[in-house]
């Protein structure tokens, strides 16, 4: 089940065991993103945890691009790794980055709120 990962155990793993566990999480989360009945409440907490694990384990560097694709699909554009993301994911992250706020990258809910404020009843991002 996607919300039943033992994060403390996964964080303690190294090498191939860590790669296998993170790959399994990425796979499960990707399947959940594509589930038409998905629950963002289950999916959203996974992205920050994966971001932390991937950023802190050099052996997971090859997982950065698929992770960025997952973050994009989940609407957590602030977790897209702009350095390693593919062009389309990087463009999304850049489009929702606000230089006037110190270069902060917004996520889907923040963009939705801004659209309501500045474009009531209009089109959204």
């Amino acid at each position: 089940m996607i919300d039943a990962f033992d994060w403390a155990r996964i964080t303690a793993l190294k090498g191939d065991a860590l790669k296998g566990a993170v790959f399994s999480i990425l796979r499960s989360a990707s399947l959940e993103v594509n589930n038409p009945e998905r629950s963002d409440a289950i999916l959203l907490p996974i992205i920050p945890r994966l971001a932390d694990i991937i950023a802190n384990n050099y052996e997971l560097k090859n997982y950065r691009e698929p992770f960025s694709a997952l973050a994009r699909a989940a609407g957590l554009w602030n977790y897209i790794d702009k350095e390693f993301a593919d062009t389309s994911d990087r463009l999304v992250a850049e489009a929702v980055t606000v230089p006037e706020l110190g270069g902060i990258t917004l996520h889907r809910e923040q963009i939705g709120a801004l659209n309501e404020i500045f474009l009531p009843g209009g089109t959204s991002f």
Side-chain angles (χ1 to χ4, degrees), residues 19 22-23 26 53-55 57-69 81 84-85:
K19 289 178 184 179
V22 170
F23 180 83
L26 283 168
I53 291 170
I54 291 170
N57 290 281
Y58 180 76
E59 65 246 35
L60 298 175
K61 67 179 169 63
N62 291 333
Y63 289 67
R64 290 178 174 176
E65 186 176 337
F67 169 77
S68 290
D81 187 332
F84 294 96

PDB file of all heavy atoms in Angstrom, residues 19 22-23 26 53-55 57-69 81 84-85:
ATOM      1  N   LYS A  19      18.369   1.677  -3.283  1.00  0.00           N
ATOM      2  CA  LYS A  19      17.900   1.890  -4.658  1.00  0.00           C
ATOM      3  C   LYS A  19      16.611   1.130  -4.924  1.00  0.00           C
ATOM      4  O   LYS A  19      15.668   1.670  -5.519  1.00  0.00           O
ATOM      5  CB  LYS A  19      18.974   1.454  -5.658  1.00  0.00           C
ATOM      6  CG  LYS A  19      20.170   2.354  -5.703  1.00  0.00           C
ATOM      7  CD  LYS A  19      21.187   1.798  -6.689  1.00  0.00           C
ATOM      8  CE  LYS A  19      22.450   2.610  -6.711  1.00  0.00           C
ATOM      9  NZ  LYS A  19      23.443   2.047  -7.644  1.00  0.00           N
ATOM     10  N   VAL A  22      13.636   2.799  -2.977  1.00  0.00           N
ATOM     11  CA  VAL A  22      13.229   4.078  -3.567  1.00  0.00           C
ATOM     12  C   VAL A  22      12.573   3.850  -4.927  1.00  0.00           C
ATOM     13  O   VAL A  22      11.565   4.486  -5.253  1.00  0.00           O
ATOM     14  CB  VAL A  22      14.419   5.054  -3.646  1.00  0.00           C
ATOM     15  CG1 VAL A  22      14.072   6.286  -4.469  1.00  0.00           C
ATOM     16  CG2 VAL A  22      14.850   5.456  -2.239  1.00  0.00           C
ATOM     17  N   PHE A  23      13.115   2.915  -5.707  1.00  0.00           N
ATOM     18  CA  PHE A  23      12.487   2.597  -6.990  1.00  0.00           C
ATOM     19  C   PHE A  23      11.059   2.102  -6.774  1.00  0.00           C
ATOM     20  O   PHE A  23      10.137   2.504  -7.488  1.00  0.00           O
ATOM     21  CB  PHE A  23      13.297   1.552  -7.755  1.00  0.00           C
ATOM     22  CG  PHE A  23      12.690   1.205  -9.079  1.00  0.00           C
ATOM     23  CD1 PHE A  23      12.927   2.003 -10.187  1.00  0.00           C
ATOM     24  CD2 PHE A  23      11.863   0.104  -9.225  1.00  0.00           C
ATOM     25  CE1 PHE A  23      12.350   1.700 -11.419  1.00  0.00           C
ATOM     26  CE2 PHE A  23      11.283  -0.206 -10.438  1.00  0.00           C
ATOM     27  CZ  PHE A  23      11.532   0.590 -11.543  1.00  0.00           C
ATOM     28  N   LEU A  26       8.889   5.090  -5.971  1.00  0.00           N
ATOM     29  CA  LEU A  26       8.650   5.869  -7.188  1.00  0.00           C
ATOM     30  C   LEU A  26       7.621   5.175  -8.082  1.00  0.00           C
ATOM     31  O   LEU A  26       6.719   5.826  -8.635  1.00  0.00           O
ATOM     32  CB  LEU A  26       9.948   6.083  -7.963  1.00  0.00           C
ATOM     33  CG  LEU A  26      10.897   7.138  -7.441  1.00  0.00           C
ATOM     34  CD1 LEU A  26      12.249   7.031  -8.140  1.00  0.00           C
ATOM     35  CD2 LEU A  26      10.317   8.529  -7.626  1.00  0.00           C
ATOM     36  N   ILE A  53      15.351  11.977   0.773  1.00  0.00           N
ATOM     37  CA  ILE A  53      16.154  10.761   0.632  1.00  0.00           C
ATOM     38  C   ILE A  53      17.040  10.839  -0.608  1.00  0.00           C
ATOM     39  O   ILE A  53      18.227  10.522  -0.565  1.00  0.00           O
ATOM     40  CB  ILE A  53      15.254   9.510   0.585  1.00  0.00           C
ATOM     41  CG1 ILE A  53      14.608   9.291   1.962  1.00  0.00           C
ATOM     42  CG2 ILE A  53      16.044   8.284   0.167  1.00  0.00           C
ATOM     43  CD1 ILE A  53      13.524   8.230   1.973  1.00  0.00           C
ATOM     44  N   ILE A  54      16.474  11.283  -1.717  1.00  0.00           N
ATOM     45  CA  ILE A  54      17.245  11.362  -2.966  1.00  0.00           C
ATOM     46  C   ILE A  54      18.341  12.410  -2.859  1.00  0.00           C
ATOM     47  O   ILE A  54      19.471  12.182  -3.287  1.00  0.00           O
ATOM     48  CB  ILE A  54      16.305  11.626  -4.165  1.00  0.00           C
ATOM     49  CG1 ILE A  54      15.434  10.383  -4.406  1.00  0.00           C
ATOM     50  CG2 ILE A  54      17.098  11.989  -5.416  1.00  0.00           C
ATOM     51  CD1 ILE A  54      14.303  10.579  -5.402  1.00  0.00           C
ATOM     52  N   ALA A  55      18.044  13.551  -2.261  1.00  0.00           N
ATOM     53  CA  ALA A  55      19.045  14.623  -2.128  1.00  0.00           C
ATOM     54  C   ALA A  55      20.198  14.226  -1.216  1.00  0.00           C
ATOM     55  O   ALA A  55      21.322  14.678  -1.414  1.00  0.00           O
ATOM     56  CB  ALA A  55      18.381  15.888  -1.604  1.00  0.00           C
ATOM     57  N   ASN A  57      21.433  11.125  -0.690  1.00  0.00           N
ATOM     58  CA  ASN A  57      22.095   9.866  -1.040  1.00  0.00           C
ATOM     59  C   ASN A  57      22.598   9.934  -2.479  1.00  0.00           C
ATOM     60  O   ASN A  57      21.808   9.796  -3.417  1.00  0.00           O
ATOM     61  CB  ASN A  57      21.131   8.693  -0.859  1.00  0.00           C
ATOM     62  CG  ASN A  57      20.832   8.441   0.591  1.00  0.00           C
ATOM     63  OD1 ASN A  57      21.627   7.844   1.301  1.00  0.00           O
ATOM     64  ND2 ASN A  57      19.689   8.929   1.056  1.00  0.00           N
ATOM     65  N   TYR A  58      23.898  10.117  -2.617  1.00  0.00           N
ATOM     66  CA  TYR A  58      24.492  10.276  -3.940  1.00  0.00           C
ATOM     67  C   TYR A  58      24.159   9.097  -4.855  1.00  0.00           C
ATOM     68  O   TYR A  58      23.981   9.276  -6.063  1.00  0.00           O
ATOM     69  CB  TYR A  58      26.009  10.444  -3.820  1.00  0.00           C
ATOM     70  CG  TYR A  58      26.684  10.609  -5.151  1.00  0.00           C
ATOM     71  CD1 TYR A  58      26.614  11.828  -5.834  1.00  0.00           C
ATOM     72  CD2 TYR A  58      27.351   9.553  -5.758  1.00  0.00           C
ATOM     73  CE1 TYR A  58      27.206  11.991  -7.073  1.00  0.00           C
ATOM     74  CE2 TYR A  58      27.949   9.705  -7.002  1.00  0.00           C
ATOM     75  CZ  TYR A  58      27.873  10.913  -7.655  1.00  0.00           C
ATOM     76  OH  TYR A  58      28.454  11.060  -8.890  1.00  0.00           O
ATOM     77  N   GLU A  59      24.055   7.893  -4.288  1.00  0.00           N
ATOM     78  CA  GLU A  59      23.788   6.718  -5.127  1.00  0.00           C
ATOM     79  C   GLU A  59      22.406   6.776  -5.788  1.00  0.00           C
ATOM     80  O   GLU A  59      22.115   5.999  -6.678  1.00  0.00           O
ATOM     81  CB  GLU A  59      23.945   5.418  -4.330  1.00  0.00           C
ATOM     82  CG  GLU A  59      22.926   5.245  -3.223  1.00  0.00           C
ATOM     83  CD  GLU A  59      23.548   5.278  -1.840  1.00  0.00           C
ATOM     84  OE1 GLU A  59      24.519   6.021  -1.635  1.00  0.00           O
ATOM     85  OE2 GLU A  59      23.061   4.550  -0.978  1.00  0.00           O
ATOM     86  N   LEU A  60      21.585   7.740  -5.390  1.00  0.00           N
ATOM     87  CA  LEU A  60      20.255   7.893  -5.986  1.00  0.00           C
ATOM     88  C   LEU A  60      20.203   9.013  -7.023  1.00  0.00           C
ATOM     89  O   LEU A  60      19.129   9.416  -7.453  1.00  0.00           O
ATOM     90  CB  LEU A  60      19.221   8.155  -4.882  1.00  0.00           C
ATOM     91  CG  LEU A  60      19.056   7.036  -3.858  1.00  0.00           C
ATOM     92  CD1 LEU A  60      18.097   7.468  -2.757  1.00  0.00           C
ATOM     93  CD2 LEU A  60      18.597   5.747  -4.503  1.00  0.00           C
ATOM     94  N   LYS A  61      21.359   9.505  -7.448  1.00  0.00           N
ATOM     95  CA  LYS A  61      21.386  10.633  -8.392  1.00  0.00           C
ATOM     96  C   LYS A  61      20.629  10.322  -9.679  1.00  0.00           C
ATOM     97  O   LYS A  61      20.032  11.214 -10.264  1.00  0.00           O
ATOM     98  CB  LYS A  61      22.818  11.069  -8.684  1.00  0.00           C
ATOM     99  CG  LYS A  61      23.658  10.064  -9.436  1.00  0.00           C
ATOM    100  CD  LYS A  61      25.044  10.609  -9.703  1.00  0.00           C
ATOM    101  CE  LYS A  61      26.001   9.638 -10.203  1.00  0.00           C
ATOM    102  NZ  LYS A  61      25.968   8.952 -11.358  1.00  0.00           N
ATOM    103  N   ASN A  62      20.621   9.086 -10.110  1.00  0.00           N
ATOM    104  CA  ASN A  62      19.908   8.721 -11.338  1.00  0.00           C
ATOM    105  C   ASN A  62      18.389   8.709 -11.163  1.00  0.00           C
ATOM    106  O   ASN A  62      17.654   8.553 -12.128  1.00  0.00           O
ATOM    107  CB  ASN A  62      20.366   7.355 -11.841  1.00  0.00           C
ATOM    108  CG  ASN A  62      21.793   7.406 -12.349  1.00  0.00           C
ATOM    109  OD1 ASN A  62      22.272   8.450 -12.787  1.00  0.00           O
ATOM    110  ND2 ASN A  62      22.495   6.291 -12.269  1.00  0.00           N
ATOM    111  N   TYR A  63      17.919   8.877  -9.941  1.00  0.00           N
ATOM    112  CA  TYR A  63      16.491   8.911  -9.668  1.00  0.00           C
ATOM    113  C   TYR A  63      15.943  10.337  -9.693  1.00  0.00           C
ATOM    114  O   TYR A  63      14.743  10.544  -9.558  1.00  0.00           O
ATOM    115  CB  TYR A  63      16.203   8.292  -8.292  1.00  0.00           C
ATOM    116  CG  TYR A  63      16.394   6.795  -8.247  1.00  0.00           C
ATOM    117  CD1 TYR A  63      17.650   6.222  -8.392  1.00  0.00           C
ATOM    118  CD2 TYR A  63      15.324   5.948  -8.048  1.00  0.00           C
ATOM    119  CE1 TYR A  63      17.833   4.864  -8.351  1.00  0.00           C
ATOM    120  CE2 TYR A  63      15.492   4.575  -7.990  1.00  0.00           C
ATOM    121  CZ  TYR A  63      16.749   4.044  -8.156  1.00  0.00           C
ATOM    122  OH  TYR A  63      16.922   2.685  -8.115  1.00  0.00           O
ATOM    123  N   ARG A  64      16.816  11.322  -9.853  1.00  0.00           N
ATOM    124  CA  ARG A  64      16.374  12.715  -9.791  1.00  0.00           C
ATOM    125  C   ARG A  64      15.420  13.090 -10.914  1.00  0.00           C
ATOM    126  O   ARG A  64      14.439  13.791 -10.684  1.00  0.00           O
ATOM    127  CB  ARG A  64      17.583  13.650  -9.785  1.00  0.00           C
ATOM    128  CG  ARG A  64      18.352  13.579  -8.494  1.00  0.00           C
ATOM    129  CD  ARG A  64      19.560  14.466  -8.533  1.00  0.00           C
ATOM    130  NE  ARG A  64      20.195  14.489  -7.229  1.00  0.00           N
ATOM    131  CZ  ARG A  64      21.319  15.131  -6.978  1.00  0.00           C
ATOM    132  NH1 ARG A  64      21.927  15.818  -7.938  1.00  0.00           N
ATOM    133  NH2 ARG A  64      21.844  15.093  -5.785  1.00  0.00           N
ATOM    134  N   GLU A  65      15.688  12.643 -12.116  1.00  0.00           N
ATOM    135  CA  GLU A  65      14.800  12.985 -13.232  1.00  0.00           C
ATOM    136  C   GLU A  65      13.429  12.327 -13.084  1.00  0.00           C
ATOM    137  O   GLU A  65      12.401  13.007 -13.197  1.00  0.00           O
ATOM    138  CB  GLU A  65      15.432  12.624 -14.573  1.00  0.00           C
ATOM    139  CG  GLU A  65      14.599  13.092 -15.746  1.00  0.00           C
ATOM    140  CD  GLU A  65      15.254  12.816 -17.082  1.00  0.00           C
ATOM    141  OE1 GLU A  65      16.486  12.675 -17.147  1.00  0.00           O
ATOM    142  OE2 GLU A  65      14.507  12.747 -18.067  1.00  0.00           O
ATOM    143  N   PRO A  66      13.344  11.012 -12.803  1.00  0.00           N
ATOM    144  CA  PRO A  66      12.003  10.441 -12.614  1.00  0.00           C
ATOM    145  C   PRO A  66      11.279  11.028 -11.400  1.00  0.00           C
ATOM    146  O   PRO A  66      10.060  11.191 -11.411  1.00  0.00           O
ATOM    147  CB  PRO A  66      12.231   8.938 -12.446  1.00  0.00           C
ATOM    148  CG  PRO A  66      13.684   8.717 -12.436  1.00  0.00           C
ATOM    149  CD  PRO A  66      14.372   9.984 -12.810  1.00  0.00           C
ATOM    150  N   PHE A  67      12.042  11.378 -10.363  1.00  0.00           N
ATOM    151  CA  PHE A  67      11.421  12.015  -9.204  1.00  0.00           C
ATOM    152  C   PHE A  67      10.815  13.362  -9.606  1.00  0.00           C
ATOM    153  O   PHE A  67       9.702  13.705  -9.193  1.00  0.00           O
ATOM    154  CB  PHE A  67      12.419  12.205  -8.063  1.00  0.00           C
ATOM    155  CG  PHE A  67      11.872  13.090  -6.991  1.00  0.00           C
ATOM    156  CD1 PHE A  67      10.940  12.610  -6.093  1.00  0.00           C
ATOM    157  CD2 PHE A  67      12.247  14.424  -6.912  1.00  0.00           C
ATOM    158  CE1 PHE A  67      10.393  13.443  -5.118  1.00  0.00           C
ATOM    159  CE2 PHE A  67      11.712  15.258  -5.954  1.00  0.00           C
ATOM    160  CZ  PHE A  67      10.779  14.763  -5.052  1.00  0.00           C
ATOM    161  N   SER A  68      11.541  14.142 -10.403  1.00  0.00           N
ATOM    162  CA  SER A  68      11.022  15.439 -10.844  1.00  0.00           C
ATOM    163  C   SER A  68       9.748  15.271 -11.661  1.00  0.00           C
ATOM    164  O   SER A  68       8.811  16.068 -11.534  1.00  0.00           O
ATOM    165  CB  SER A  68      12.088  16.193 -11.647  1.00  0.00           C
ATOM    166  OG  SER A  68      13.140  16.604 -10.797  1.00  0.00           O
ATOM    167  N   ALA A  69       9.691  14.231 -12.483  1.00  0.00           N
ATOM    168  CA  ALA A  69       8.478  13.957 -13.257  1.00  0.00           C
ATOM    169  C   ALA A  69       7.310  13.624 -12.322  1.00  0.00           C
ATOM    170  O   ALA A  69       6.182  14.067 -12.542  1.00  0.00           O
ATOM    171  CB  ALA A  69       8.718  12.819 -14.240  1.00  0.00           C
ATOM    172  N   ASP A  81      13.602  19.078  -9.357  1.00  0.00           N
ATOM    173  CA  ASP A  81      15.038  19.348  -9.318  1.00  0.00           C
ATOM    174  C   ASP A  81      15.423  19.941 -10.672  1.00  0.00           C
ATOM    175  O   ASP A  81      15.631  19.214 -11.640  1.00  0.00           O
ATOM    176  CB  ASP A  81      15.801  18.050  -9.047  1.00  0.00           C
ATOM    177  CG  ASP A  81      17.279  18.260  -8.833  1.00  0.00           C
ATOM    178  OD1 ASP A  81      17.848  19.237  -9.368  1.00  0.00           O
ATOM    179  OD2 ASP A  81      17.881  17.433  -8.133  1.00  0.00           O
ATOM    180  N   PHE A  84      18.376  18.577 -12.776  1.00  0.00           N
ATOM    181  CA  PHE A  84      18.352  17.241 -13.361  1.00  0.00           C
ATOM    182  C   PHE A  84      17.047  16.903 -14.067  1.00  0.00           C
ATOM    183  O   PHE A  84      16.934  15.842 -14.670  1.00  0.00           O
ATOM    184  CB  PHE A  84      18.633  16.188 -12.277  1.00  0.00           C
ATOM    185  CG  PHE A  84      20.021  16.276 -11.738  1.00  0.00           C
ATOM    186  CD1 PHE A  84      20.277  16.983 -10.582  1.00  0.00           C
ATOM    187  CD2 PHE A  84      21.076  15.685 -12.400  1.00  0.00           C
ATOM    188  CE1 PHE A  84      21.564  17.081 -10.085  1.00  0.00           C
ATOM    189  CE2 PHE A  84      22.363  15.778 -11.922  1.00  0.00           C
ATOM    190  CZ  PHE A  84      22.611  16.479 -10.753  1.00  0.00           C
ATOM    191  N   ALA A  85      16.059  17.768 -13.994  1.00  0.00           N
ATOM    192  CA  ALA A  85      14.760  17.495 -14.624  1.00  0.00           C
ATOM    193  C   ALA A  85      14.868  17.580 -16.139  1.00  0.00           C
ATOM    194  O   ALA A  85      15.749  18.253 -16.676  1.00  0.00           O
ATOM    195  CB  ALA A  85      13.733  18.505 -14.119  1.00  0.00           C
TER     196      ALA A  85
END
